[in-house]
Amino acid sequence: MMIISFVQYPMSTALTFLHSLSSSPFHHRHRPRLLSTSSPFSLPLKPLSFSPLSTLPQQVLFSSHEIQGNNNLDISSSGFPESFNFDESFDSTELKKFETPAVEVSELEDIPDQWRRSRLAWLCKELPAHKTPTMVRILNAQRKWLKQEDATYIAVHCMRIRENEAAFRVYKWMMQQHWFRFDFALATKLADYLGKERKHLKCREIFDDIINQGRVPSESTFHILIIAYLSSPGPSELDEACNIYNRMVHLGGHKPRLNLHNSLFKALLGKKPGSSKHFLKQAEFIYQNLTSSGLDIHKDIFGGLIWLHSYQDVVDMERIAVLRAEMRSRGIQESKEVLLSVLRACSKDGDLEEAERTWSKLLSDDRSPPSQAFVYKMEVYAKNGEPMKSLEVFRRMQKQLSSTSVAAYYKIIKVLSKSQRLDLAESIMSEFINSGMKPLIPSFIDLMGMYSIAGLHEKMETTFLRCREVCGPNQTVFNIYLDSLVHTGNLNRAEEIFNEMRGDVAISLDSRSCNSILRGYLTSGEYAKAEKIYGLMRQKKYDIEIESSLMEKLDYVLSLREKVVEEPIKLKLTKEQREVLMGLLLGGLQIRSYGERRRRVHAIHFEFNAESRIHAILKGHIHNEFHQWLGSHDMMVDGTDDIPSSFTTISHSCFTFYADQFWPNGRPGIPKLIHRWLSPCVLAYWYMYGGYRTSSGDILLRVKGSREEVLNIVKALKDKSLDCRVKKRGTVFWIGFLGDNATWFWTVVKPFILGELKDLLKAGGCSNGSLENQRINFYSGSGSDEKNSDYSDADTS
């Protein structure tokens, strides 16, 4: 196939070469010329391969460690972290060409004016070589003579030479002209070409333009845009793909092709179970479309639907039975994964009879069922009040598989703790600790809950101390112990634990801990201290959850004051909050501005990567640290798991300084006085929010700004004896601390790193999955000094 670019030819030969195109395979002798799907430069769709992890640094971050360190370990509700395994035959290669409208373009020689032909030839050569600002300036200079047919010719020419970005810029420029008439064929062709290059945002922009013109996009545009979204990383891209798919059926009246159904269904199940289960209705909608269209339904469609149903909080056993019956009617045998999904559903529903039948089928297919099957069977017996049978299944698993999974230990300890089998629970907990498996905290929480119900406060304290020895700090563990101390009247010890939680950023306070200590103070008559805790709870806007008798005491204490505190508390940032904000802003935190320039107010928008284990921990700490600054909607969360991935503070004058320094003119920037503010605390939060550790143990910090601004940071760091190197990739700079410099950087920031993140972020040693796929070579060229050639403007493209 012949690809022609005018950039490589001198301007004097451009016109001659354009005339010669009539004999090239891109041109037709027919007039007017058509740009159709049969043209030799049409781009085929590539087969998709879905991966649950993105290759972007923000999403590759710590991926290999997330499963091991996942705190959401309620097996009965979230199951095991594997995604559904699709058969290789599920991937469809059906990629027939679509019928799309042809674009009518006149031949260059048909243009009567010689000067117009010369100008068009020059524009076709010149425009693809420039970036958007220059291209717009060139086009604006031609507005006196350039018309719709001329701009259309340029856009089509750019598509022919695979310069689709240039074609898009020309198209957007056309839309702003007074003579613009919407061309459905041109918009469709350009959207399809951009979508085939996986440029989903630009494709979506043209897609929306088509709808805004009152037209229905063609089937090809719907299809290609969905595939482009599925091929793009990002947490919201799958939602957008589903939205476009639904509009394709309802708005467009199109019948999606089999490979599109399958690709979208596979993407729905490609996420973790906790995320995938929310797509059940969408998966059912795809299944119904497949059925109504009379298309062949692959066995994995049935298996995937049953898998999704089994992960729901409330399982619809009747629907699962209908799907299984449909499979049998089609002659599809139930795979091991389907039986495992049924067993998972039975464990949530407590259906012992169906669980026994499914277990027998599993044994007939495989004499050594997977470890998940044993765990689900333990849960079924526990739901039916037979904890000793659960223990028998656990021992059988150990004997049959010659190994025990962490999930199995969690489940059996939870079952025995709930049934108050103290000796057995303690014995298996000792076995769990001696096995060296981690994390242990969920089982420690179950044991402490068991002792709390039994009133064994001495054993509660022993377990708490043992947990502190072998595990990191955990807020739930501290809260259970604090409740026990308050309940037994050991107020001095309770006060020590409360103050420790308050001072340790890895633990921090929440509504439960404040209510516990308030209850203790009111019970013991420590009214002055109770009043202080009440003030703290008002500041953080925690709900008061104490007994009515104690509430009467609190009301009486407050009534004795000369003036009841009803005035709104004046919000003011603490020193730590100011340093936290600076570190997060360097790492990419956003500021939102509202109102007119003179009366503009600002708010901080916190956004965290939902796929990152580190961001999940940091999110909870930041939410608690800025709790009193959040709006009412963002404050109303029951626990860390309910905190959204993004939340915004109220608008406040306190944030004006940070908007002026770090977000001038609505864009991120770096203050000139940054050297004054690079404290160890600021660096620590920058590292936790926008930093990464490589596989070799080096530390990278990501920052946006101009070349001069980044150089100011580098100079300030070197003045603090923190030697580093810099590389630029696109619009982002990477500051790297390599080898011994990474170790020294870690020594500086370690006191301010959250306790639960220290193992994940520690410099040196083997990687915990932080940045395996990020290839930034700091040793090439002159990357270590301020004259680094990598700062060239060309890198910003």
Side-chain angles (χ1 to χ4, degrees):
M1 182 173 62
M2 183 177 178
I3 302 177
I4 300 174
S5 173
F6 291 104
V7 178
Q8 59 184 322
Y9 297 100
M11 185 168 61
S12 60
T13 61
L15 181 60
T16 305
F17 207 90
L18 272 173
H19 280 290
S20 69
L21 284 177
S22 59
S23 61
S24 73
F26 299 107
H27 279 58
H28 303 278
R29 287 294 183 183
H30 306 289
R31 299 173 185 172
R33 187 168 64 243
L34 303 179
L35 181 62
S36 65
T37 54
S38 60
S39 60
F41 45 84
S42 59
L43 302 177
L45 281 174
K46 297 179 180 179
L48 287 177
S49 59
F50 294 97
S51 171
L53 295 174
S54 166
T55 56
L56 288 183
Q58 295 91 330
Q59 293 161 324
V60 169
L61 200 55
F62 318 114
S63 57
S64 65
H65 191 79
E66 285 180 356
I67 292 178
Q68 299 173 11
N70 190 359
N71 275 342
N72 185 18
L73 292 164
D74 183 3
I75 302 301
S76 63
S77 62
S78 63
F80 288 76
E82 299 96 356
S83 58
F84 186 81
N85 295 321
F86 284 88
D87 191 281
E88 291 183 0
S89 62
F90 184 80
D91 292 322
S92 173
T93 57
E94 177 208 7
L95 292 170
K96 297 178 181 178
K97 291 183 179 180
F98 294 95
E99 293 183 3
T100 57
V103 182
E104 296 186 2
V105 185
S106 300
E107 295 283 359
L108 188 64
E109 58 267 24
D110 291 342
I111 299 175
D113 301 321
Q114 173 66 27
W115 66 268
R116 184 183 294 271
R117 291 200 300 269
S118 301
R119 290 279 186 95
L120 280 178
W122 177 77
L123 287 173
C124 288
K125 163 193 172 293
E126 194 71 19
L127 291 178
H130 294 287
K131 295 181 181 179
T132 303
T134 306
M135 178 180 286
V136 171
R137 284 197 298 269
I138 294 174
L139 288 170
N140 286 339
Q142 318 302 316
R143 276 189 296 191
K144 290 184 178 180
W145 66 271
L146 205 60
K147 302 301 179 184
Q148 171 109 6
E149 55 271 19
D150 302 321
T152 301
Y153 182 88
I154 297 170
V156 171
H157 169 77
C158 291
M159 282 188 276
R160 282 205 180 91
I161 62 174
R162 306 293 177 83
E163 291 287 351
N164 297 320
E165 286 275 358
F168 176 78
R169 296 170 196 157
V170 173
Y171 175 80
K172 298 305 290 184
W173 181 85
M174 290 172 59
M175 293 182 64
Q176 300 173 6
Q177 309 310 309
H178 65 89
W179 42 254
F180 176 73
R181 301 183 310 277
F182 179 73
D183 188 334
F184 178 75
L186 177 63
T188 297
K189 191 62 59 180
L190 182 55
D192 290 357
Y193 274 36
L194 290 168
K196 290 173 184 178
E197 290 186 348
R198 306 300 185 246
K199 294 174 180 175
H200 61 286
L201 295 179
K202 290 182 172 63
C203 179
R204 176 62 183 271
E205 196 171 336
I206 300 178
F207 175 87
D208 291 337
D209 290 340
I210 295 173
I211 293 179
N212 292 336
Q213 291 290 333
R215 303 292 297 271
V216 177
S218 66
E219 181 185 355
S220 66
T221 306
F222 277 108
H223 185 111
I224 292 169
L225 180 56
I226 294 170
I227 296 297
Y229 268 118
L230 295 181
S231 304
S232 304
S236 62
E237 312 304 22
L238 181 56
D239 292 324
E240 290 296 333
C242 293
N243 180 34
I244 300 298
Y245 173 87
N246 296 339
R247 294 170 78 177
M248 181 179 186
V249 176
H250 295 304
L251 173 65
H254 300 298
K255 291 186 177 180
R257 301 188 179 190
L258 177 62
N259 68 312
L260 185 61
H261 290 297
N262 289 350
S263 294
L264 184 57
F265 191 88
K266 186 173 183 178
L268 294 179
L269 273 65
K271 287 181 168 286
K272 295 178 182 178
S275 302
S276 290
K277 69 178 185 180
H278 302 299
F279 290 105
L280 176 61
K281 288 185 178 179
Q282 184 66 48
E284 287 280 11
F285 182 60
I286 294 173
Y287 171 76
Q288 295 300 329
N289 287 332
L290 283 167
T291 304
S292 61
S293 300
L295 298 173
D296 292 333
I297 302 179
H298 194 276
K299 62 179 181 179
D300 282 345
I301 295 289
F302 293 103
L305 273 177
I306 295 172
W307 182 86
L308 278 176
H309 275 285
S310 70
Y311 273 107
Q312 301 304 305
D313 296 330
V314 179
V315 179
D316 188 350
M317 294 299 293
E318 293 184 2
R319 178 57 180 161
I320 292 177
V322 169
L323 290 171
R324 296 178 73 188
E326 182 66 20
M327 288 179 69
R328 288 192 293 270
S329 68
R330 293 171 179 262
I332 301 174
Q333 292 186 348
E334 293 179 330
S335 64
K336 182 171 68 175
E337 191 153 18
V338 169
L339 295 175
L340 194 62
S341 297
V342 174
L343 196 57
R344 184 187 302 113
C346 292
S347 71
K348 293 185 176 184
D349 196 55
D351 191 342
L352 181 58
E353 184 178 348
E354 183 60 39
E356 293 286 4
R357 285 197 296 267
T358 306
W359 179 260
S360 299
K361 290 182 180 179
L362 270 174
L363 289 180
S364 63
D365 293 341
D366 188 353
R367 293 187 177 182
S368 296
S371 60
Q372 301 99 303
F374 289 94
V375 176
Y376 298 140
K377 195 175 183 186
M378 282 188 268
E379 175 72 6
V380 172
Y381 282 128
K383 286 278 181 70
N384 285 271
E386 300 183 46
M388 296 311 296
K389 284 196 173 182
S390 297
L391 182 59
E392 289 178 11
V393 174
F394 177 77
R395 295 302 184 194
R396 179 180 175 184
M397 173 186 179
Q398 289 181 311
K399 182 179 179 181
Q400 193 166 344
L401 301 184
S402 301
S403 63
T404 311
S405 65
V406 173
Y409 275 117
Y410 287 158
K411 181 56 61 183
I412 193 59
I413 292 173
K414 180 184 286 291
V415 168
L416 295 175
S417 298
K418 283 187 175 181
S419 61
Q420 291 292 303
R421 309 287 174 133
L422 275 68
D423 293 339
L424 290 172
E426 290 171 352
S427 174
I428 294 181
M429 186 65 192
S430 298
E431 182 182 325
F432 188 18
I433 294 173
N434 294 332
S435 69
M437 297 181 179
K438 289 184 178 182
L440 301 166
I441 285 179
S443 293
F444 272 116
I445 291 173
D446 290 332
L447 280 182
M448 293 176 70
M450 175 181 68
Y451 293 139
S452 178
I453 294 173
L456 300 175
H457 300 290
E458 291 183 1
K459 286 198 171 185
M460 163 80 76
E461 184 165 18
T462 303
T463 305
F464 172 77
L465 295 175
R466 179 62 172 155
C467 180
R468 295 195 68 174
E469 291 178 7
V470 299
C471 302
N474 180 270
Q475 189 182 76
T476 304
V477 170
F478 272 78
N479 275 332
I480 296 173
Y481 182 50
L482 182 63
D483 289 340
S484 175
L485 293 171
V486 170
H487 184 73
T488 56
N490 191 351
L491 197 58
N492 290 333
R493 177 63 174 159
E495 194 170 12
E496 291 177 10
I497 293 298
F498 182 82
N499 290 332
E500 183 178 350
M501 295 175 69
R502 189 175 186 176
D504 192 338
V505 294
I507 308 172
S508 69
L509 298 175
D510 63 354
S511 177
R512 177 179 176 180
S513 52
C514 289
N515 276 288
S516 293
I517 198 69
L518 178 63
R519 186 180 295 108
Y521 285 145
L522 291 173
T523 302
S524 60
E526 297 280 355
Y527 298 129
K529 293 182 178 180
E531 192 174 342
K532 289 182 179 179
I533 294 299
Y534 173 74
L536 174 66
M537 295 179 71
R538 282 192 69 242
Q539 184 181 9
K540 291 185 173 291
K541 300 185 180 181
Y542 290 152
D543 293 332
I544 307 296
E545 300 171 356
I546 55 177
E547 296 80 359
S548 57
S549 59
L550 295 178
M551 194 66 202
E552 292 175 2
K553 288 185 179 182
L554 179 61
D555 291 338
Y556 175 72
V557 170
L558 296 175
S559 68
L560 295 178
R561 300 171 59 187
E562 294 181 1
K563 184 179 180 181
V564 179
V565 181
E566 292 295 342
E567 298 178 358
I569 297 176
K570 186 177 181 180
L571 291 175
K572 186 177 180 180
L573 290 168
T574 64
K575 180 179 181 296
E576 181 180 352
Q577 286 174 332
R578 292 196 296 268
E579 291 189 301
V580 168
L581 279 180
M582 288 184 181
L584 298 184
L585 285 166
L586 286 170
L589 193 68
Q590 296 181 12
I591 295 181
R592 294 182 174 177
S593 303
Y594 307 94
E596 299 176 359
R597 169 171 285 184
R598 293 183 179 180
R599 299 181 180 180
R600 183 165 295 182
V601 291
H602 309 278
I604 305 297
H605 179 67
F606 298 98
E607 188 162 355
F608 299 88
N609 183 0
E611 303 294 331
S612 169
R613 164 72 177 147
I614 286 183
H615 273 211
I617 297 172
L618 181 63
K619 173 184 67 176
H621 168 67
I622 296 299
H623 189 277
N624 181 71
E625 185 69 26
F626 290 89
H627 191 275
Q628 72 272 29
W629 293 90
L630 302 180
S632 57
H633 175 75
D634 288 323
M635 282 192 296
M636 297 178 63
V637 294
D638 298 328
T640 304
D641 294 338
D642 299 318
I643 298 175
S645 296
S646 61
F647 46 88
T648 307
T649 66
I650 58 174
S651 301
H652 199 279
S653 58
C654 282
F655 303 130
T656 302
F657 169 79
Y658 301 94
D660 293 341
Q661 295 292 329
F662 291 90
W663 209 264
N665 303 318
R667 299 182 64 182
I670 301 171
K672 293 182 180 179
L673 300 178
I674 189 63
H675 59 279
R676 296 184 180 180
W677 303 323
L678 288 180
S679 67
C681 182
V682 171
L683 293 174
Y685 280 91
W686 182 6
Y687 181 27
M688 287 187 285
Y689 187 69
Y692 313 101
R693 187 182 70 169
T694 66
S695 58
S696 60
D698 298 331
I699 290 174
L700 308 183
L701 298 180
R702 183 177 182 270
V703 65
K704 280 190 175 183
S706 68
R707 175 182 179 274
E708 292 75 15
E709 291 172 340
V710 175
L711 290 181
N712 286 338
I713 292 183
V714 173
K715 185 177 184 299
L717 290 171
K718 290 184 177 181
D719 289 342
K720 298 176 184 293
S721 301
L722 293 171
D723 197 13
C724 57
R725 304 168 74 94
V726 183
K727 280 286 183 180
K728 186 178 182 183
R729 287 294 179 268
T731 59
V732 175
F733 290 89
W734 295 89
I735 299 176
F737 299 89
L738 315 179
D740 293 339
N741 294 324
T743 304
W744 175 238
F745 177 85
W746 174 251
T747 303
V748 171
V749 302
K750 181 180 178 182
F752 300 94
I753 299 292
L754 301 185
E756 292 177 275
L757 299 183
K758 288 183 178 178
D759 289 340
L760 298 175
L761 295 175
K762 183 179 180 182
C766 60
S767 170
N768 282 318
S770 58
L771 202 63
E772 292 293 343
N773 292 336
Q774 182 63 28
R775 305 299 184 194
I776 300 179
N777 182 10
F778 285 90
Y779 296 101
S780 65
S782 56
S784 62
D785 55 38
E786 290 122 359
K787 298 179 181 179
N788 185 1
S789 60
D790 288 305
Y791 288 119
S792 64
D793 294 335
D795 291 330
T796 62
S797 60

